Amino acid sequence: MTLEADLREGLLAAVPSLRAFAISLSGQVDKADDLVQDTLLRALANLHRFERGTNLNAWLFTILRNLFHSEYRKRRREVEDPNGSYAGRLKIQPEQGSHLDFEDFRTALAQLPSDQREALLLVGASGFSYEEAAGICGCAVGTIKSRVNRARLRLAALLNVDDVDDLGPDSMTRAALQG
């Protein structure tokens, strides 16, 4: 027999011991069989790396153990969901809609007169009171209230917002998320 034939015989002879070790690691026969198969494939692919005269079984058991621990680390981060029930409970709004809504808002905001935009940003976005915004702009509180109100009405018209339900995802997306 050639040296390579001896290695192949050694691989086949090691299968029962590898399988027993894999079952003890994984606790499941089907996973153990997959692990042994992966071990043998890896060993055959890397047969040129095996140092002749060293312990073939030790080399194979090392491959199997490393494969098991690599798979364990990978699966630890995964959620097993064979029937899809977990995935079916996950609901997330698509991100592109909010990005497009924000771009529409920025475009509409840019169309407001500068005094209305300034008043709206001070009160609505920056959180200043009407009195504080009036002090910043150097005008009366009533003027700021009027500018903010006109800015909100104009934005609603530009964005085609009639009521609160028009904000957020559209009705079709909301229906899909309810499912």
Side-chain angles (χ1 to χ4, degrees):
M1 253 196 248
T2 67
L3 195 55
E4 193 165 306
D6 286 342
L7 282 175
R8 289 182 192 273
E9 288 296 321
L11 289 174
L12 290 175
V15 168
S17 299
L18 288 171
R19 188 168 187 265
F21 184 54
I23 290 170
S24 71
L25 287 175
S26 69
Q28 298 176 346
V29 174
D30 57 335
K31 289 187 187 219
D33 289 341
D34 290 343
L35 190 56
V36 170
Q37 181 179 350
D38 291 344
T39 300
L40 292 173
L41 288 172
R42 174 95 32 109
L44 286 171
N46 293 292
L47 208 51
H48 62 281
R49 292 185 178 174
F50 176 68
E51 292 182 31
R52 312 281 191 229
T54 60
N55 188 336
L56 178 63
N57 280 344
W59 185 64
L60 293 171
F61 275 71
T62 301
I63 293 172
L64 186 139
R65 184 180 171 281
N66 289 342
L67 283 171
F68 172 77
H69 286 294
S70 294
E71 186 66 26
Y72 176 78
R73 281 190 301 273
K74 184 176 100 178
R75 287 199 179 163
R76 193 174 56 191
R77 294 183 298 267
E78 296 175 353
V79 175
E80 200 161 313
D81 189 22
N83 61 1
S85 63
Y86 179 74
R89 291 190 312 266
L90 295 177
K91 296 177 178 132
I92 186 167
Q93 283 184 248
E95 291 181 20
Q96 69 272 19
S98 59
H99 177 71
L100 295 173
D101 289 344
F102 181 70
E103 287 303 314
D104 289 345
F105 176 77
R106 284 184 46 201
T107 302
L109 189 64
Q111 293 177 29
L112 294 177
S114 61
D115 61 336
Q116 290 179 11
R117 183 174 52 249
E118 179 183 56
L120 183 65
L121 291 174
L122 286 171
V123 173
S126 299
F128 289 106
S129 68
Y130 287 114
E131 292 77 16
E132 293 168 327
I136 292 169
C137 293
C139 62
V141 173
T143 303
I144 289 294
K145 288 181 178 181
S146 176
R147 288 177 183 172
V148 169
N149 185 50
R150 283 182 296 190
R152 287 179 176 155
L153 292 173
R154 181 74 181 128
L155 271 180
L158 289 169
L159 295 170
N160 294 317
V161 174
D162 294 325
D163 62 16
V164 174
D165 288 337
D166 289 341
L167 300 173
D170 60 77
S171 59
M172 189 175 294
T173 303
R174 281 196 302 268
L177 291 174
Q178 296 299 319

